[in-house]
Amino acid sequence: MEIIKAIVVGFIVGLIARALMPGKQSLGFIMTTVLGVAGALVGTYLGQAVGLYDGSSEAGWIGATVGAMILLFVFGLISKK
């Protein structure tokens, strides 16, 4: 059941990050979900690195969205030619 919860939350976080990020991101359902899940991982890692979270806690909605926006920004820099 936790995997389904992570997929749903990842999709919602991915949608929020895409809505807040300027420009056009042509990502489908699966890539939006992957973006949200990866954003949560990035948000957790960065939050723990700067001391916002301890070792056992995970990023919340805001941390996951910020992580997803960071990934979108990096993806935009890499894919732009």
Side-chain angles (χ1 to χ4, degrees):
M1 202 61 169
E2 291 295 319
I3 293 174
I4 294 173
K5 178 183 168 187
I7 290 171
V8 170
V9 169
F11 179 68
I12 294 170
V13 166
L15 285 177
I16 293 170
R18 286 181 58 197
L20 293 175
M21 199 72 175
K24 183 176 187 254
Q25 300 89 26
S26 56
L27 301 174
F29 171 76
I30 294 174
M31 288 307 294
T32 300
T33 305
V34 169
L35 170 71
V37 172
L41 293 174
V42 169
T44 300
Y45 176 73
L46 289 177
Q48 289 175 354
V50 297
L52 295 175
Y53 308 117
D54 61 358
S56 63
S57 65
E58 300 173 350
W61 287 90
I62 295 173
T65 303
V66 169
M69 290 178 69
I70 291 170
L71 288 177
L72 270 176
F73 178 74
V74 170
F75 178 73
L77 289 177
I78 292 172
S79 66
K80 200 180 271 189
K81 294 186 179 190

